[in-house]
Amino acid sequence: MYVYQDYDQRLLEERVAQYRDQTRRYLAGQLSEDEFLALRLQNGLYIQRYAPMLRISVPYGMLSSAQLRTLGGITRDYDKGFAHVSTRQNIQLNWPQVEEVPDILAELAKVQMHAIQTSGNCIRNITTDEYAGVNPHEVEDPRPWCEIIRQWSTFNPEFAYLPRKFKIAVNAVPDADPAVIGVHDIGVQVVHGDDGETGFQVWAGGGLGRTPMTGALIGEFVPWRHLLAYLEAILRVYNKYGNRDNKYKARIKILVKALGPERFRELTEAEFAELKDGSMTLTEDEVARIRECFTAPAYRDGQDTGAVDRALDENRAFNRWYHTNTRAHKHDGYRAVTVSLKKTGRIPGDISDEQFEKLADLADRFSFGEVRNTHQQNMVLADVAKDDLFALWEELDALGFATPNLGLLTDIVACPGGDLCALANAKSVPVAEGIQRRFDDIDYVHDLGPLDINISGCMNACGHHHIGHIGILGVDKKGKEFYQITLGGRGDKVSRIGEKMGPSFESHEVTDVIEKIINTYVDRRLENEPFIDTYERIGMDPFKESVYG
């Protein structure tokens, strides 16, 4: 992980002191609600339906065991004992008190954490593949580039008041998109040129929300030295031409569509020509300095995996978990383990104070003291020796973290919805739980194969419903909660927006509708054909007919 230098820590502590004084003045009546609004948003504090919500930044999803323990203590001392993993790899507290937020930020600063730029019209958390650095398919580790972008974007005054919020993701896997760069304001794809030099394909104009779109390729090959200059060129075009009069038309996706990709590219290249070879040019020394923060841990060689092999043969539950929740690793003798936060009966993505602390202990024992958050609201122990897997599985199972459903129907992504969020039109969590309980036969769920269900409580799409194979969107109809279904979305090899099925359904109908969709898939699929492939082969009509008659 990147380790803060003295200037990083000093800057962070100064920001905490600054916000403490701003909060003091607000509580004393010296700042109005409107004056305080911009200040609290810059420090990640929202006012939700029943209480404030604090979004804590987790750059590219990485957490140390010390940070996990601090989060556990904060969750216990300042919240109600639970925190939430968001779909952009952050951590959210749903019940902090406004007057206590400066104390929370001070506790976070002690372990190099903060809530800066987790809200507001600025560049938000930089995200990537949760398996970055250990993914055997990546062309190189994308995390150093994420850190370089993070440092460039943090406190950058030119981009502190953009027309709208702005999200950047980085991917280094050539034939897949685990970072979902296609639906980000800027998506950065790490590539290697013919001479082996690192460069980037840069996409712009993706995004979900009210008007979901996938991005357009703007930079076909940007040499690594010019990455920041090219990103800055795109941001300058957006700052100049983005719509500031209508927040629903303010995202960069609207601008790219209005101008067209060719014109947007021309404007970007004009800005880039002025910035190229200037102060934004990266040097080999600086890139090497950042890369040194992400060196491989001290992996063990010559492991005895005989015990694991026997456990795979003898223990069906362990075997299923191994093949579902662990994946290949760059280093022979290791696996990356996904810690499931999707046990039926628990809010997807929620983790308790005690679980934070116990997971920190497991990270220290089994994964070099590090954990990653995922876009699917789970967590990952990225460096687990194979001969430790059975012992780890037993520990995770005792914590309720070993549900073997990664990437399957019950691994549902859901925002907090109307239970907490002031923007939501409908609840998400009860819908997710209803589906999980209907499909509680784990053998059947495994037989169905890969299937993404995503649920959002409103058009802001925090549950990424547009890119779920089955998407569920909460809508309001004359004060009643209804749910709109989409099919065919993707956020894996390609990014694609799902297609609306038809009229929406009342809350009590949703689980039955999902079951009809699944039954249609089972009836029409070819042998071992995943849901999304069946949908792409037969189209929407058979599913509509089964649901609407």
Side-chain angles (χ1 to χ4, degrees):
M1 294 176 63
Y2 178 76
V3 177
Y4 281 16
Q5 307 300 306
D6 288 343
Y7 62 84
D8 296 302
Q9 190 65 33
R10 184 168 63 251
L11 190 65
L12 185 54
E13 290 170 357
E14 289 174 356
R15 183 58 177 266
V16 172
Q18 179 190 59
Y19 185 66
R20 187 182 295 279
D21 185 59
Q22 292 166 346
T23 302
R24 178 193 62 77
R25 287 187 286 145
Y26 165 69
L27 295 173
Q30 297 169 6
L31 292 175
S32 68
E33 288 283 352
D34 287 343
E35 289 171 326
F36 187 58
L37 173 64
L39 301 176
R40 65 172 170 80
L41 288 179
Q42 289 172 0
N43 290 277
L45 185 63
Y46 292 75
I47 302 300
Q48 296 286 65
R49 188 177 297 259
Y50 303 112
M53 182 271 279
L54 181 65
R55 180 177 295 140
I56 299 167
S57 179
V58 185
Y60 34 93
M62 291 197 69
L63 290 162
S64 69
S65 56
Q67 290 171 337
L68 286 172
R69 291 188 181 93
T70 295
L71 288 169
I74 288 172
T75 300
R76 178 169 51 251
D77 296 339
Y78 296 99
D79 208 282
K80 293 189 174 184
F82 284 87
H84 182 74
V85 178
S86 79
T87 49
R88 296 205 75 253
Q89 298 179 294
N90 289 317
I91 294 288
Q92 295 180 176
L93 301 178
N94 289 310
W95 300 94
Q97 300 300 307
V98 172
E99 61 271 20
E100 294 182 334
V101 169
D103 294 330
I104 297 173
L105 297 180
E107 290 295 317
L108 291 171
K110 293 177 183 177
V111 289
Q112 304 184 0
M113 295 188 75
H114 58 78
I116 297 165
Q117 292 182 203
T118 58
S119 179
N121 296 335
C122 57
I123 298 174
R124 302 282 186 89
N125 187 39
I126 311 302
T127 62
T128 191
D129 176 13
E130 57 263 28
Y131 304 108
V134 302
N135 192 329
H137 304 294
E138 66 189 17
V139 295
E140 65 178 74
D141 188 347
R143 293 173 299 169
W145 303 111
C146 291
E147 179 59 28
I148 288 169
I149 296 170
R150 185 194 73 81
Q151 294 192 23
W152 160 78
S153 63
T154 301
F155 292 133
N156 190 321
E158 188 172 353
F159 309 126
Y161 293 97
L162 295 168
R164 199 71 170 85
K165 60 186 177 181
F166 205 90
K167 301 174 181 178
I168 300 175
V170 183
N171 179 43
V173 181
D175 298 318
D177 187 12
V180 204
I181 63 172
V183 290
H184 279 74
D185 298 285
I186 289 179
V188 178
Q189 177 74 42
V190 185
V191 294
H192 286 170
D194 293 338
D195 58 358
E197 181 185 30
T198 296
F200 308 93
Q201 291 178 339
V202 181
W203 303 71
L208 301 178
R210 190 173 296 271
T211 312
M213 299 181 191
T214 54
L217 181 60
I218 303 302
E220 293 190 7
F221 186 85
V222 178
W224 64 267
R225 291 175 177 82
H226 303 307
L227 172 63
L228 296 186
Y230 201 85
L231 297 183
E232 190 146 317
I234 290 176
L235 266 295
R236 285 190 175 183
V237 173
Y238 178 45
N239 237 346
K240 285 183 180 181
Y241 299 102
N243 189 325
R244 294 180 180 272
D245 299 323
N246 184 336
K247 71 176 184 179
Y248 300 118
K249 297 181 180 180
R251 297 291 293 271
I252 192 174
K253 61 188 178 183
I254 304 299
L255 178 62
V256 173
K257 183 178 181 182
L259 294 174
E262 288 298 328
R263 177 57 178 158
F264 188 90
R265 186 179 298 111
E266 290 174 4
L267 293 169
T268 298
E269 291 294 335
E271 293 286 347
F272 179 55
E274 295 184 10
L275 294 166
K276 187 179 179 182
D277 297 320
S279 61
M280 288 292 99
T281 304
L282 291 167
T283 66
E284 291 183 356
D285 287 345
E286 177 61 10
V287 173
R289 181 182 76 86
I290 300 297
R291 278 182 167 151
E292 286 175 359
C293 298
F294 299 94
T295 53
Y299 293 125
R300 303 197 312 258
D301 292 321
Q303 297 178 51
D304 179 8
T305 59
V308 174
D309 294 336
R310 287 192 296 275
L312 288 170
D313 290 338
E314 298 169 3
N315 191 311
R316 186 167 180 264
F318 172 69
N319 186 298
R320 171 168 281 166
W321 172 84
Y322 176 94
H323 288 101
T324 306
N325 287 34
T326 80
R327 61 177 295 164
H329 192 286
K330 278 185 178 179
H331 193 280
D332 187 39
Y334 281 77
R335 302 283 289 184
V337 173
T338 297
V339 177
S340 172
L341 304 185
K342 306 294 181 61
K343 185 176 181 178
T344 299
R346 295 290 296 274
I347 296 173
D350 269 18
I351 179 170
S352 73
D353 55 345
E354 182 181 2
Q355 288 172 327
F356 267 127
E357 292 165 344
K358 290 185 176 179
L359 186 58
D361 293 340
L362 295 180
D364 283 337
R365 288 170 54 196
F366 295 108
S367 193
F368 302 98
E370 290 182 356
V371 172
R372 290 111 175 274
N373 292 340
T374 83
H375 300 282
Q376 295 77 30
Q377 300 174 299
N378 293 311
M379 303 178 91
V380 167
L381 296 169
D383 299 289
V384 180
K386 286 184 180 179
D387 59 5
D388 287 335
L389 284 171
F390 187 77
L392 173 62
W393 171 72
E394 290 183 310
E395 299 267 11
L396 292 175
D397 193 39
L399 286 173
F401 282 163
T403 306
N405 64 347
L406 183 64
L408 304 179
L409 184 151
T410 55
D411 185 22
I412 296 172
V413 172
C415 69
D419 287 306
L420 295 172
C421 181
L423 301 176
N425 295 313
K427 294 181 175 65
S428 300
V429 174
V431 174
E433 184 177 359
I435 296 169
Q436 286 177 323
R437 293 195 183 281
R438 177 68 60 89
F439 295 94
D440 63 350
D441 184 339
I442 196 67
D443 290 327
Y444 182 67
V445 169
H446 273 260
D447 181 65
L448 292 175
L451 208 168
D452 296 337
I453 296 183
N454 293 46
I455 308 174
S456 298
C458 75
M459 284 300 298
N460 285 297
C462 292
H464 294 179
H465 67 278
H466 295 108
I467 57 172
H469 300 156
I470 301 175
I472 303 174
L473 168 65
V475 295
D476 177 80
K477 286 191 175 183
K478 298 180 179 180
K480 294 189 67 175
E481 295 184 358
F482 277 73
Y483 295 85
Q484 186 179 85
I485 308 297
T486 58
L487 298 181
R490 295 192 74 151
D492 48 7
K493 295 180 180 179
V494 294
S495 293
R496 188 178 64 213
I497 307 302
E499 178 186 0
K500 295 178 185 177
M501 175 175 277
S504 55
F505 304 93
E506 292 190 55
S507 57
H508 69 271
E509 300 176 292
V510 174
T511 303
D512 290 337
V513 169
I514 299 303
E515 186 170 20
K516 290 178 181 178
I517 292 170
I518 298 303
N519 289 341
T520 302
Y521 158 58
V522 171
D523 290 342
R524 302 292 296 269
R525 68 177 174 178
L526 303 178
E527 186 176 2
N528 297 322
E529 185 178 42
F531 176 89
I532 191 62
D533 291 351
T534 299
Y535 176 82
E536 291 174 354
R537 179 172 56 82
I538 68 175
M540 175 68 79
D541 287 346
F543 295 97
K544 289 181 69 171
E545 183 177 353
S546 69
V547 171
Y548 295 106

